[in-house]
Amino acid sequence: MKAMGLNAVQTYVPWNWHESNFDGTETDFTGNRDIEHFMDLIADRNMLLLMRPGPYICGEWDFGGFPARLLANPDVVLRTNNAAYMAEVVAWFDVLLPKLKPYLIENGGPIAMVQIENEFGSYGDVTTNPDDEAYLLALIDLVRKHLSESVVLYSTDGGNIDSMTRGSLKGDIVLTLGDFGPGTDLSNSIDGQTAMNSENKNPLMCTEYYSGWLTHFGEDIAMTDTASMVATMQDMIEANMSFNLYMAHGGTNFGFWAGANGGGGTDYQPDITSYDYNSPISEHGAHNVGSDGADKFDAVQALLRKNFDDATFDEPIAPSVAAFGEVPLTKSSSLSFLEFTKKTDIVATGDFHSQEQLGQRFGFLLYSIENIGDCGDCVIEVSDLRDRAFLFSNGKLIADMFRDDEAELNSKARAEPGATLDILVESFGRLNFAGGMGKDWKGIGSIKVDSIPVSSGVDHRFVEMTTEDVVSIETQEDSNEGGQRFLSGTFEIHEGDVANTFIDMSEFGQGVVFINGFNLGRYWSEKGPVLTLYVPDEVLKSGANEVIVLELETYLANPKVSFVEAPILK
């Protein structure tokens, strides 16, 4: 980023990323969660830091950074002056903010500004709801209490007066700033900021200048035009505006951390695992090109070096990328995934509960009814599915449903009289934006058998697919019997040859990939648009490396994966 010509870094802090258990009593700031080390790296490069601590961050991140347990508490009302919600926020800020204080610019650190909330005008309205105004004021008080009275606080909202009026506070209690993308009429944001901020306290800035965009499963890959991107950047420079590239480097939402957009119900668009974002620095740290074929990194670098004498810094050596070739998955689990899940303990029996009510953050939830009784047509109807359901009658798959397809949800599966009914639910990302996010629990609401609701006798089990869960998987040679199973294989990397790579999942259906126990994330080849998952060199090693694939859709007689040097698009 510094080599590209930037002099500052803006980052979110995802609350749920730093909690290591469901109830929030344990936090983790080690390894790739070490925020203090990250701030040290920024300081070492003599860059500034714009800190966005939340508590809500959006970021196409699961539940916008909120812990899943907030969905299990009926007293919590998100993002307003609600006592149960604010008690959680206070407890989290009591942990996080003291870590930031030594890094304030007034204490010799890199933090120049701290954001309050995030695009609040797209969710609440301080002009019509006194609790929303009180919420922002309470956050300001909390941040000032832990950091300092003089720290510069700012808000981010859409680049227009309407969004800013709903989401920020007029005057100098907080600096009101806007966000927008290429081709924008700058006057909309300039006029809004000028109206909101005090006279002579109005440094203009675009806090999220969209260098690319996000991608959902089933969409074309998001790409933007390089020429338009730099043209509006030049306009901002001439208008004496600061700007933050959203994103400069997008990265990857590994594991189950990718969120989702939509309004809730069947209006649901889960984000792909990759967060490349078509940003100037690609997912694996190389240069990205725009939809016009022009190098985005080079274009930004040239623009900034032309306008700023100090925007010069030698670019690091490009990250190494390797193709390790085909890896046959010669082993599979003797148990189907349904049988694997049924080996776990029953955590509740009765009516239908959500993942969050059971203390589950991610993964798979299994509902089992031992005997559905002597039904007539034995038609099974599922209500309030969140997000994908596989229905089994006596262990045989009878239906596969996904929540964004209303026609699919209205289809009716038929079981056998007296059958054991199992409903395996896979949760995708929780909504990370707009009003529906406060109701996006995971699981199913209810089922009916021949139009009669089932309200008791439902056993609940779950598998979060943690590292411990993956380690417990047993696979053996030539046992691939089809169905939903774990498949595994190993490959060797010679000493000195470890490098970034991409695993090609185009022959598979939908599922999850693990390498050496690390959850790379979800793939869904039919929907695409990306058919590969990024594999960082940090998860690989010299010698033997193990690949485990949980395939939920497609039976392959001779399954294999390939490691390639670049992403493959559908």
Side-chain angles (χ1 to χ4, degrees):
M1 290 171 65
K2 181 159 186 173
M4 191 164 59
L6 304 179
N7 63 6
V9 175
Q10 184 170 248
T11 189
Y12 287 128
V13 182
W15 179 357
N16 53 9
W17 173 243
H18 291 282
E19 290 194 349
S20 50
N21 63 350
F22 181 85
D23 60 15
T25 57
E26 298 176 8
T27 55
D28 186 357
F29 290 90
T30 63
N32 59 0
R33 291 170 168 84
D34 190 342
I35 190 171
E36 289 159 305
H37 177 59
F38 182 72
M39 292 189 289
D40 287 336
L41 292 175
I42 294 169
D44 288 347
R45 283 145 185 82
N46 198 28
M47 301 177 80
L48 297 174
L49 172 58
L50 280 64
M51 177 58 71
R52 310 174 84 174
Y56 165 72
I57 67 164
C58 188
E60 287 68 60
W61 185 265
D62 183 72
F63 201 17
F66 286 133
R69 70 166 182 280
L70 300 189
L71 288 169
N73 185 346
D75 295 330
V76 166
V77 181
L78 297 174
R79 302 179 71 187
T80 194
N81 191 36
N82 164 264
Y85 169 65
M86 286 306 300
E88 294 278 8
V89 172
V90 168
W92 164 234
F93 272 13
D94 284 350
V95 172
L96 173 64
L97 297 184
K99 294 180 180 295
L100 307 184
K101 185 171 184 176
Y103 291 89
L104 295 177
I105 199 164
E106 61 197 63
N107 296 328
I111 298 178
M113 299 165 64
V114 176
Q115 181 176 289
I116 298 298
E117 240 275 349
N118 186 74
E119 294 185 325
F120 189 63
S122 299
Y123 186 90
D125 190 341
V126 301
T127 65
T128 61
N129 188 341
D131 282 337
D132 288 353
E133 181 183 21
Y135 170 51
L136 292 192
L137 290 169
L139 291 181
I140 290 169
D141 288 344
L142 264 176
V143 173
R144 292 213 180 278
K145 181 187 86 169
H146 280 290
L147 299 182
S148 78
E149 288 296 322
S150 58
V151 63
V152 177
L153 304 181
Y154 70 103
S155 66
T156 290
D157 278 294
N160 58 78
I161 186 61
D162 291 339
S163 293
M164 295 175 189
T165 301
R166 291 192 301 269
S168 192
L169 301 169
K170 196 167 184 177
D172 59 8
I173 189 172
V174 62
L175 179 61
T176 299
L177 303 174
D179 54 24
F180 50 81
T184 296
D185 181 353
L186 302 186
S187 64
N188 291 327
S189 189
I190 292 173
D191 291 348
Q193 293 179 54
T194 302
M196 292 294 293
N197 295 319
S198 298
E199 189 175 2
N200 300 320
K201 292 185 178 179
N202 185 35
L204 300 174
M205 181 174 184
C206 178
T207 49
E208 292 186 8
Y209 178 66
Y210 300 113
S211 62
W213 200 244
L214 57 104
T215 304
H216 304 120
F217 282 110
E219 298 177 343
D220 293 335
I221 194 70
M223 294 188 75
T224 57
D225 180 81
T226 300
S228 298
M229 180 187 73
V230 295
T232 304
M233 290 174 68
Q234 182 64 45
D235 292 343
M236 286 190 284
I237 291 170
E238 292 173 3
N240 198 29
M241 293 185 76
S242 298
F243 49 81
N244 163 64
L245 299 182
Y246 194 102
M247 306 286 294
H249 168 58
T252 314
N253 289 337
F254 291 112
F256 300 135
W257 290 105
N261 289 294
T266 55
D267 178 15
Y268 177 74
Q269 302 111 46
D271 298 307
I272 64 173
T273 296
S274 170
Y275 202 59
D276 180 86
Y277 211 84
N278 197 223
S279 51
I281 303 170
S282 75
E283 182 172 24
H284 62 291
H287 292 199
N288 243 337
V289 297
S291 56
D292 54 0
D295 187 303
K296 286 191 167 184
F297 184 100
D298 286 348
V300 172
Q301 185 185 66
L303 177 80
L304 297 179
R305 288 187 174 182
K306 179 182 77 172
N307 285 278
F308 303 102
D309 292 337
D310 59 348
T312 56
F313 188 78
D314 290 337
E315 186 178 352
I317 297 172
S320 58
V321 185
F324 297 111
E326 287 188 356
V327 177
L329 303 184
T330 58
K331 296 182 179 181
S332 70
S333 56
S334 57
L335 296 176
S336 68
F337 187 53
L338 173 62
E339 293 166 332
F340 174 83
T341 307
K342 283 194 142 185
K343 287 183 67 177
T344 62
D345 294 335
I346 295 172
V347 294
T349 299
D351 202 351
F352 289 87
H353 299 293
S354 68
Q355 282 189 350
E356 295 78 11
Q357 290 172 324
L358 299 172
Q360 180 184 6
R361 292 185 289 183
F362 302 113
F364 298 82
L365 175 57
L366 178 65
Y367 302 95
S368 298
I369 303 165
E370 189 170 333
N371 187 335
I372 61 172
D374 294 326
C375 43
D377 294 330
C378 299
V379 173
I380 311 299
E381 300 173 74
V382 177
S383 299
D384 293 326
L385 170 60
R386 320 285 178 83
D387 299 304
R388 192 174 193 190
F390 302 93
L391 276 64
F392 300 86
S393 174
N394 289 333
K396 180 182 177 181
L397 183 65
I398 57 172
D400 171 359
M401 303 175 179
F402 191 65
R403 78 184 263 187
D404 75 340
D405 189 334
E406 192 147 2
E408 188 176 81
L409 291 178
N410 289 333
S411 64
K412 297 173 181 178
R414 292 181 182 272
E416 302 168 44
T420 293
L421 181 67
D422 295 300
I423 306 173
L424 181 64
V425 177
E426 179 183 11
S427 66
F428 283 66
R430 295 177 181 87
L431 292 173
N432 54 250
F433 188 74
M437 61 185 295
K439 300 182 176 101
D440 197 31
W441 47 265
K442 298 301 181 181
I444 58 175
S446 63
I447 68 162
K448 293 179 181 178
V449 179
D450 287 346
S451 301
I452 300 173
V454 175
S455 58
S456 63
V458 182
D459 292 336
H460 299 66
R461 301 175 177 87
F462 64 75
V463 177
E464 286 204 339
M465 300 306 296
T466 62
T467 300
E468 292 74 19
D469 292 329
V470 176
V471 169
S472 72
I473 297 163
E474 297 180 358
T475 59
Q476 54 194 7
E477 293 283 352
D478 301 321
S479 61
N480 190 0
E481 301 171 23
Q484 299 172 309
R485 274 178 165 74
F486 294 101
L487 308 170
S488 72
T490 59
F491 66 103
E492 295 281 331
I493 300 180
H494 297 303
E495 188 75 35
D497 288 344
V498 172
N500 297 286
T501 188
F502 294 83
I503 186 168
D504 178 6
M505 303 305 298
S506 57
E507 293 188 16
F508 291 77
Q510 187 255 315
V512 188
V513 181
F514 305 86
I515 292 190
N516 295 329
F518 180 81
N519 188 339
L520 292 179
R522 299 184 187 92
Y523 64 89
W524 201 340
S525 300
E526 179 186 353
K527 288 183 177 284
V530 181
L531 301 178
T532 49
L533 292 172
Y534 169 51
V535 185
D537 56 10
E538 289 88 348
V539 306
L540 299 172
K541 59 186 179 180
S542 298
N545 293 263
E546 183 182 40
V547 183
I548 294 179
V549 175
L550 172 58
E551 169 57 41
L552 297 169
E553 278 189 352
T554 304
Y555 171 66
L556 298 171
N558 298 294
K560 62 181 182 299
V561 296
S562 296
F563 289 93
V564 296
E565 292 184 337
I568 300 173
L569 302 180
K570 187 173 180 179

